[in-house]
Amino acid sequence: MKTLSANALVGGLFVGAFVIVACLGSVWTPYDPMALDMKARLAGPSARHLLGADEFGRDVLSRLMLGASASGIVSLATVAIATVLGTALGAISGYVGGWTDRVLVAVTNALLAFPGILLALGLLAIFGANKFGIVLALGIAYTPSVARIVRGTVLSLREKEFIDASRIAGDSEIYTLLRHILPNCIAPLTVLTTSMFGWTLLSESALSFLGLGVPPPAPTWGNMLAAARPYLAPATWLAIFPGLCISVALLGINLLGDALRDRLDPKMRGTQ
Protein backbone atom coordinates (compact mmCIF):
# COMPACT_ATOMS: atom_id res chain seq x y z
CA MET A 1 0.00 0.00 0.00
CA LYS A 2 1.43 3.35 -1.05
CA THR A 3 1.74 6.03 1.60
CA LEU A 4 1.15 9.69 0.98
CA SER A 5 4.25 11.85 0.73
CA ALA A 6 4.83 14.91 2.87
CA ASN A 7 4.23 17.07 -0.21
CA ALA A 8 0.85 15.45 -0.78
CA LEU A 9 -0.19 15.81 2.86
CA VAL A 10 0.88 19.43 3.31
CA GLY A 11 -0.21 20.46 -0.17
CA GLY A 12 -3.56 18.72 0.20
CA LEU A 13 -4.09 20.40 3.58
CA PHE A 14 -3.38 23.89 2.23
CA VAL A 15 -5.40 23.38 -0.97
CA GLY A 16 -8.26 21.84 1.00
CA ALA A 17 -8.29 24.85 3.34
CA PHE A 18 -8.33 27.19 0.32
CA VAL A 19 -11.26 25.31 -1.23
CA ILE A 20 -13.22 25.31 2.05
CA VAL A 21 -12.66 29.04 2.61
CA ALA A 22 -13.56 29.84 -1.02
CA CYS A 23 -16.77 27.80 -0.86
CA LEU A 24 -17.72 29.21 2.54
CA GLY A 25 -16.93 32.77 1.44
CA SER A 26 -19.35 32.51 -1.47
CA VAL A 27 -22.31 31.85 0.87
CA TRP A 28 -21.36 33.29 4.27
CA THR A 29 -18.95 35.79 5.81
CA PRO A 30 -18.79 37.18 9.39
CA TYR A 31 -19.66 40.68 8.11
CA ASP A 32 -20.89 42.17 4.87
CA PRO A 33 -17.63 42.51 2.87
CA MET A 34 -18.94 45.67 1.19
CA ALA A 35 -20.43 47.41 4.25
CA LEU A 36 -18.68 50.62 5.27
CA ASP A 37 -18.06 51.42 8.95
CA MET A 38 -15.93 54.52 9.30
CA LYS A 39 -15.89 54.14 13.09
CA ALA A 40 -13.83 50.97 12.64
CA ARG A 41 -11.51 52.53 10.05
CA LEU A 42 -8.03 50.92 10.18
CA ALA A 43 -8.96 49.05 13.36
CA GLY A 44 -6.38 46.42 14.26
CA PRO A 45 -7.07 42.72 14.79
CA SER A 46 -9.40 42.24 17.74
CA ALA A 47 -12.23 40.07 19.01
CA ARG A 48 -14.66 42.07 16.87
CA HIS A 49 -12.57 42.07 13.71
CA LEU A 50 -10.24 39.06 13.90
CA LEU A 51 -7.98 40.30 11.09
CA GLY A 52 -8.71 44.00 11.49
CA ALA A 53 -10.57 46.45 9.28
CA ASP A 54 -9.50 48.33 6.16
CA GLU A 55 -9.46 52.03 5.32
CA PHE A 56 -13.25 52.04 4.96
CA GLY A 57 -13.93 49.98 8.07
CA ARG A 58 -14.71 46.83 6.10
CA ASP A 59 -13.90 43.54 7.82
CA VAL A 60 -10.66 42.12 6.39
CA LEU A 61 -11.51 38.49 7.18
CA SER A 62 -14.83 38.75 5.34
CA ARG A 63 -13.16 40.34 2.33
CA LEU A 64 -10.42 37.68 2.31
CA MET A 65 -13.06 34.94 2.31
CA LEU A 66 -14.99 36.54 -0.55
CA GLY A 67 -11.70 37.25 -2.31
CA ALA A 68 -10.74 33.57 -2.09
CA SER A 69 -14.03 32.72 -3.77
CA ALA A 70 -13.50 35.27 -6.55
CA SER A 71 -9.88 34.26 -7.14
CA GLY A 72 -10.78 30.56 -7.07
CA ILE A 73 -13.61 30.97 -9.59
CA VAL A 74 -11.43 33.00 -11.96
CA SER A 75 -8.57 30.48 -11.70
CA LEU A 76 -10.85 27.48 -12.15
CA ALA A 77 -12.62 28.99 -15.17
CA THR A 78 -9.28 29.96 -16.71
CA VAL A 79 -7.84 26.46 -16.28
CA ALA A 80 -11.01 24.95 -17.77
CA ILE A 81 -10.84 27.18 -20.87
CA ALA A 82 -7.11 26.61 -21.37
CA THR A 83 -7.46 22.84 -20.90
CA VAL A 84 -10.36 22.45 -23.34
CA LEU A 85 -8.85 24.68 -26.04
CA GLY A 86 -5.32 23.39 -25.56
CA THR A 87 -6.38 19.73 -25.60
CA ALA A 88 -8.39 20.22 -28.80
CA LEU A 89 -5.58 22.08 -30.57
CA GLY A 90 -2.85 19.73 -29.36
CA ALA A 91 -4.80 16.60 -30.28
CA ILE A 92 -5.62 17.86 -33.78
CA SER A 93 -2.08 19.05 -34.36
CA GLY A 94 -0.40 15.85 -33.20
CA TYR A 95 -2.85 13.38 -34.73
CA VAL A 96 -3.54 14.99 -38.12
CA GLY A 97 0.02 16.13 -38.81
CA GLY A 98 1.03 17.70 -42.11
CA TRP A 99 0.29 21.35 -42.79
CA THR A 100 -2.29 21.44 -40.03
CA ASP A 101 0.40 20.53 -37.50
CA ARG A 102 2.88 23.04 -38.93
CA VAL A 103 0.41 25.93 -38.83
CA LEU A 104 -0.78 25.13 -35.29
CA VAL A 105 2.79 24.67 -34.05
CA ALA A 106 3.79 28.00 -35.58
CA VAL A 107 0.87 29.77 -33.87
CA THR A 108 1.59 28.02 -30.57
CA ASN A 109 5.28 28.91 -30.66
CA ALA A 110 4.44 32.52 -31.48
CA LEU A 111 2.16 32.73 -28.44
CA LEU A 112 4.70 30.95 -26.23
CA ALA A 113 7.26 33.61 -27.17
CA PHE A 114 5.33 36.02 -24.95
CA PRO A 115 5.29 35.59 -21.16
CA GLY A 116 1.79 34.57 -20.06
CA ILE A 117 1.20 37.69 -17.97
CA LEU A 118 2.36 39.97 -20.82
CA LEU A 119 0.07 38.25 -23.32
CA ALA A 120 -2.80 38.50 -20.84
CA LEU A 121 -2.17 42.26 -20.50
CA GLY A 122 -2.44 42.68 -24.25
CA LEU A 123 -5.63 40.61 -24.44
CA LEU A 124 -7.18 42.57 -21.56
CA ALA A 125 -6.89 45.68 -23.68
CA ILE A 126 -9.32 43.94 -26.07
CA PHE A 127 -11.66 42.16 -23.63
CA GLY A 128 -11.70 44.81 -20.89
CA ALA A 129 -10.61 44.73 -17.24
CA ASN A 130 -13.39 42.67 -15.66
CA LYS A 131 -13.93 39.11 -14.44
CA PHE A 132 -15.07 37.87 -17.86
CA GLY A 133 -12.18 39.59 -19.62
CA ILE A 134 -9.51 38.29 -17.26
CA VAL A 135 -10.78 34.71 -17.58
CA LEU A 136 -10.67 34.88 -21.38
CA ALA A 137 -7.30 36.63 -21.44
CA LEU A 138 -5.60 34.20 -19.06
CA GLY A 139 -7.35 31.21 -20.66
CA ILE A 140 -5.99 32.10 -24.09
CA ALA A 141 -2.57 32.96 -22.64
CA TYR A 142 -2.14 29.51 -21.09
CA THR A 143 -3.72 27.50 -23.94
CA PRO A 144 -0.37 27.05 -25.80
CA SER A 145 1.20 25.32 -22.78
CA VAL A 146 -1.59 22.74 -22.74
CA ALA A 147 -1.50 22.31 -26.53
CA ARG A 148 2.23 21.61 -26.49
CA ILE A 149 1.92 18.91 -23.80
CA VAL A 150 -1.04 17.21 -25.51
CA ARG A 151 0.62 17.34 -28.94
CA GLY A 152 3.77 15.69 -27.61
CA THR A 153 1.76 12.93 -25.96
CA VAL A 154 -0.33 12.33 -29.09
CA LEU A 155 2.78 12.19 -31.28
CA SER A 156 4.29 9.50 -29.04
CA LEU A 157 1.10 7.42 -29.14
CA ARG A 158 -0.27 7.65 -32.67
CA GLU A 159 2.17 5.09 -34.11
CA LYS A 160 1.77 2.56 -31.28
CA GLU A 161 0.57 -0.99 -32.02
CA PHE A 162 -2.75 -0.58 -30.22
CA ILE A 163 -3.55 2.45 -32.40
CA ASP A 164 -2.82 0.40 -35.53
CA ALA A 165 -5.03 -2.36 -34.13
CA SER A 166 -7.88 0.12 -33.65
CA ARG A 167 -7.58 1.23 -37.27
CA ILE A 168 -7.44 -2.33 -38.55
CA ALA A 169 -10.58 -3.08 -36.52
CA GLY A 170 -12.36 -0.43 -38.57
CA ASP A 171 -12.64 2.25 -35.89
CA SER A 172 -12.96 5.78 -37.17
CA GLU A 173 -10.14 8.25 -36.65
CA ILE A 174 -12.26 10.31 -34.26
CA TYR A 175 -13.15 7.22 -32.22
CA THR A 176 -9.50 6.14 -32.08
CA LEU A 177 -8.46 9.61 -30.93
CA LEU A 178 -11.16 9.92 -28.28
CA ARG A 179 -11.11 6.31 -27.06
CA HIS A 180 -7.45 5.31 -27.20
CA ILE A 181 -5.27 8.42 -27.34
CA LEU A 182 -6.84 11.20 -25.26
CA PRO A 183 -7.31 9.00 -22.14
CA ASN A 184 -3.52 8.58 -22.11
CA CYS A 185 -3.17 12.37 -21.91
CA ILE A 186 -4.98 12.53 -18.57
CA ALA A 187 -1.90 11.92 -16.39
CA PRO A 188 0.30 14.72 -17.86
CA LEU A 189 -2.72 17.02 -18.08
CA THR A 190 -3.53 16.45 -14.40
CA VAL A 191 -0.04 17.52 -13.38
CA LEU A 192 -0.07 20.49 -15.76
CA THR A 193 -3.51 21.79 -14.77
CA THR A 194 -2.60 21.60 -11.09
CA SER A 195 0.47 23.76 -11.69
CA MET A 196 -1.49 26.00 -14.06
CA PHE A 197 -4.07 26.69 -11.34
CA GLY A 198 -1.23 28.16 -9.28
CA TRP A 199 0.07 30.19 -12.22
CA THR A 200 -3.42 31.53 -12.86
CA LEU A 201 -3.98 32.43 -9.22
CA LEU A 202 -0.71 34.35 -9.17
CA SER A 203 -1.43 36.04 -12.52
CA GLU A 204 -4.92 37.05 -11.43
CA SER A 205 -3.51 38.50 -8.21
CA ALA A 206 -0.83 40.38 -10.16
CA LEU A 207 -3.34 41.80 -12.64
CA SER A 208 -5.70 42.80 -9.83
CA PHE A 209 -2.76 44.42 -8.04
CA LEU A 210 -2.16 46.50 -11.18
CA GLY A 211 -5.84 47.44 -11.32
CA LEU A 212 -6.58 45.26 -14.38
CA GLY A 213 -8.42 42.42 -12.67
CA VAL A 214 -11.77 42.24 -10.93
CA PRO A 215 -12.70 45.90 -10.36
CA PRO A 216 -13.22 47.22 -6.78
CA PRO A 217 -15.12 47.27 -4.52
CA ALA A 218 -15.40 43.51 -5.18
CA PRO A 219 -12.47 42.02 -3.22
CA THR A 220 -9.72 39.82 -4.57
CA TRP A 221 -6.44 39.12 -2.83
CA GLY A 222 -4.58 41.13 -5.47
CA ASN A 223 -6.64 44.31 -5.26
CA MET A 224 -6.63 44.08 -1.45
CA LEU A 225 -2.83 44.12 -1.59
CA ALA A 226 -2.92 47.10 -3.94
CA ALA A 227 -5.30 48.99 -1.67
CA ALA A 228 -3.01 48.34 1.32
CA ARG A 229 0.02 50.13 -0.16
CA PRO A 230 -0.76 53.60 1.27
CA TYR A 231 -1.26 52.11 4.74
CA LEU A 232 1.83 49.92 5.16
CA ALA A 233 3.03 51.89 8.19
CA PRO A 234 -0.17 52.53 10.18
CA ALA A 235 -1.97 49.28 9.22
CA THR A 236 0.57 46.64 8.21
CA TRP A 237 -1.96 43.83 8.56
CA LEU A 238 -3.82 45.06 5.48
CA ALA A 239 -0.91 43.86 3.33
CA ILE A 240 0.26 40.94 5.48
CA PHE A 241 -2.95 38.89 5.43
CA PRO A 242 -3.69 38.98 1.65
CA GLY A 243 -0.01 38.33 0.91
CA LEU A 244 0.03 35.43 3.35
CA CYS A 245 -3.11 33.96 1.77
CA ILE A 246 -1.57 34.11 -1.72
CA SER A 247 1.69 32.57 -0.49
CA VAL A 248 0.04 29.71 1.40
CA ALA A 249 -2.34 28.91 -1.47
CA LEU A 250 0.51 28.87 -4.01
CA LEU A 251 2.69 26.76 -1.72
CA GLY A 252 -0.10 24.22 -1.30
CA ILE A 253 -0.81 24.05 -5.03
CA ASN A 254 2.89 23.63 -5.88
CA LEU A 255 3.40 20.92 -3.28
CA LEU A 256 0.31 19.07 -4.47
CA GLY A 257 1.46 19.40 -8.07
CA ASP A 258 4.87 17.94 -7.17
CA ALA A 259 3.17 15.03 -5.40
CA LEU A 260 0.94 14.34 -8.41
CA ARG A 261 3.93 14.47 -10.74
CA ASP A 262 5.83 12.00 -8.57
CA ARG A 263 2.84 9.65 -8.52
CA LEU A 264 1.77 9.89 -12.19
CA ASP A 265 5.06 10.43 -14.06
CA PRO A 266 6.71 7.04 -14.74
CA LYS A 267 10.18 8.62 -14.93
CA MET A 268 9.79 10.21 -11.49
CA ARG A 269 8.25 7.04 -10.10
CA GLY A 270 11.29 5.06 -11.13
CA THR A 271 13.67 7.32 -9.18
CA GLN A 272 11.91 6.82 -5.87
Side-chain angles (χ1 to χ4, degrees):
M1 181 178 178
K2 294 183 178 179
T3 58
L4 292 175
S5 65
N7 282 356
L9 288 172
V10 177
L13 179 63
F14 287 169
V15 172
F18 171 74
V19 171
I20 291 172
V21 171
C23 292
L24 184 61
S26 64
V27 296
W28 175 86
T29 55
Y31 294 89
D32 182 351
M34 308 294 184
L36 306 183
D37 181 8
M38 299 309 292
K39 293 181 179 179
R41 183 177 183 271
L42 299 181
S46 63
R48 183 180 179 186
H49 296 285
L50 294 180
L51 300 184
D54 67 7
E55 68 275 19
F56 297 110
R58 298 171 298 193
D59 183 62
V60 172
L61 176 59
S62 299
R63 291 180 63 77
L64 285 174
M65 293 174 65
L66 187 58
S69 178
S71 297
I73 290 173
V74 168
S75 299
L76 190 62
T78 298
V79 170
I81 290 174
T83 301
V84 171
L85 291 179
T87 299
L89 292 175
I92 293 171
S93 177
Y95 193 73
V96 174
W99 282 104
T100 301
D101 182 39
R102 293 170 188 167
V103 170
L104 290 178
V105 167
V107 172
T108 299
N109 289 338
L111 293 176
L112 286 172
F114 295 91
I117 189 70
L118 183 60
L119 181 58
L121 282 171
L123 292 172
L124 276 173
I126 301 173
F127 299 133
N130 52 62
K131 186 179 292 188
F132 179 76
I134 197 171
V135 167
L136 276 180
L138 289 175
I140 294 173
Y142 288 117
T143 291
S145 299
V146 179
R148 183 174 60 176
I149 293 295
V150 173
R151 176 182 177 272
T153 305
V154 172
L155 284 174
S156 67
L157 291 172
R158 69 178 185 179
E159 304 301 332
K160 296 288 186 181
E161 290 80 0
F162 68 93
I163 301 300
D164 292 333
S166 176
R167 291 170 178 153
I168 293 172
D171 296 335
S172 67
E173 297 292 345
I174 294 178
Y175 179 86
T176 300
L177 179 63
L178 296 178
R179 178 65 179 84
H180 299 293
I181 293 183
L182 286 185
N184 287 284
C185 298
I186 292 176
L189 273 179
T190 300
V191 177
L192 177 62
T193 53
T194 303
S195 299
M196 191 162 56
F197 190 90
W199 306 341
T200 305
L201 181 64
L202 183 60
S203 297
E204 184 277 328
S205 298
L207 290 172
S208 294
F209 183 83
L210 295 174
L212 298 173
V214 179
T220 66
W221 291 347
N223 64 29
M224 289 179 69
L225 263 179
R229 284 180 297 176
Y231 306 99
L232 289 178
T236 312
W237 62 86
L238 293 181
I240 289 177
F241 292 127
L244 189 61
C245 287
I246 294 172
S247 300
V248 170
L250 289 176
L251 176 61
I253 292 168
N254 289 334
L255 290 176
L256 188 59
D258 288 343
L260 286 173
R261 182 197 60 195
D262 295 343
R263 183 61 63 93
L264 297 175
D265 190 338
K267 296 179 181 178
M268 296 300 299
R269 196 185 307 141
T271 62
Q272 295 178 352

